[in-house]
Amino acid sequence: MGVAAVDVRRPEQLDQVDALIIPGGESTTIGKLAAQYGIISKVRERAAEGMPVWGTCAGAIFIAKNVPAHPHPLAALMDMTVERNVFGRQIDSFEADLDMPVIGPKPFHAIFIRAPRIARVGDGVDVLATLNDGTVVAARQGRLLATSFHPELTPDRRLHEYFLSLIGGAP
Ligand code: GLN
């Protein structure tokens, strides 16, 4: 997509990037290591300056302001409640076609791997996609983006393009 991507592991690297994607994985591990590496306050600082941050799956958990009973520190950027593992165990992972008008009329094929759901969104948060039963699985607050699923596993680039459009754009 014409964008240089670097792995961010240390707080000072955040001064060299225009945007940050926090990927899926295991949010307890992400929270524990982020605290150990002292990166949480720097993520908060850069996000407060307007750096776009996109959290996918465990990353969405990491950027949520409210996560019931989470045992580790989190970045707590976005005004939403995210509940972990609501669809069941790893074996209950699934795929779904989502209507997502902000990226166009064609549905987005989404892969959910032991995914969380967005259980509540605050006033400044826009819901971008839901499952057929109304479960919220994508949302945006200014330059913060959260998706319950894994857009890096499908060839559709529209969400990545949408995220890039947040760099330097209106909050
Ligand atoms: N179940 C994981 C968690 O709670 C998230 C899974 C994922 O990122 N695919 O952190």
Side-chain angles (χ1 to χ4, degrees), residues 23-28 56-59 61 84-85 113-116 150:
E26 180 56 43
S27 60
T28 49
T56 68
C57 205
I61 296 166
R84 302 174 61 209
N85 304 331
I113 304 171
R114 202 168 172 238
H150 281 259

Side-chain angles (χ1 to χ4, degrees), residues 56-166:
T56 68
C57 205
I61 296 166
F62 187 67
I63 66 170
K65 278 209 167 138
N66 186 256
V67 181
H70 201 279
H72 293 289
L74 301 169
L77 305 175
M78 197 166 151
D79 186 10
M80 61 181 179
T81 299
V82 172
E83 292 172 354
R84 302 174 61 209
N85 304 331
V86 288
F87 301 103
R89 303 174 60 180
Q90 194 81 3
I91 198 166
D92 302 308
S93 298
F94 62 99
E95 304 185 16
D97 287 320
L98 305 176
D99 279 330
M100 224 172 168
V102 286
I103 57 165
K106 202 178 124 221
F108 187 90
H109 189 70
I111 299 180
F112 294 82
I113 304 171
R114 202 168 172 238
R117 73 166 174 145
I118 300 169
R120 178 201 60 88
V121 292
D123 287 342
V125 180
D126 291 327
V127 169
L128 302 186
T130 63
L131 296 174
N132 286 340
D133 67 1
T135 303
V136 177
V137 291
R140 173 188 167 189
Q141 180 180 14
R143 295 196 184 96
L144 305 171
L145 182 62
T147 49
S148 298
F149 49 91
H150 281 259
E152 79 282 11
L153 296 179
T154 44
D156 193 333
R157 292 178 173 186
R158 289 176 298 159
L159 260 177
H160 290 78
E161 279 159 11
Y162 180 70
F163 180 61
L164 290 181
S165 79
L166 302 181

